[in-house]
Amino acid sequence: WATVASARPHASAAPSAYAPGSAATAAVEPPACSGEIHLYAAHGWVVSGGPSPVQAPGRYRWPCGRYSLTAISRVDPADRRSAQATVRDGASAVVDLR
């Protein structure tokens, strides 16, 4: 006798990442207030203390607020610098690591 496999697909208990209303399909709304931060540097730095770690030199759009930043040189990890930056709506904050 031959065994016939079920033609029904197996149901998964896990919800689909693409189900309506899931986080994967929900629109991400930009923050109500945001501005640019310009990180000037002569060589590469990893800058933390903002919404997410970023690299300098570079320009980024961040939510408004005051940030206490820590920069670690990619050339010499022992070289660390601290800076304060205030991001305002429609304005550019500047951090100079040169």
Side-chain angles (χ1 to χ4, degrees):
W1 295 84
T3 305
V4 178
S6 172
R8 293 183 317 156
H10 296 288
S12 172
S16 169
Y18 299 103
S22 72
T25 59
V28 177
E29 292 189 30
C33 175
S34 67
E36 286 193 354
I37 184 162
H38 298 205
L39 304 172
Y40 295 111
H43 66 274
W45 295 80
V46 175
V47 180
S48 61
S52 64
V54 295
Q55 294 187 36
R59 293 178 179 209
Y60 304 93
R61 179 158 296 280
W62 283 2
C64 293
R66 183 167 175 80
Y67 299 95
S68 296
L69 305 175
T70 302
I72 302 172
S73 171
R74 295 187 67 177
V75 174
D76 178 6
D79 189 3
R80 296 171 181 253
R81 300 191 186 168
S82 296
Q84 300 287 322
T86 301
V87 175
R88 293 185 175 94
D89 197 24
S92 297
V94 175
V95 175
D96 194 341
L97 299 170
R98 293 177 281 189

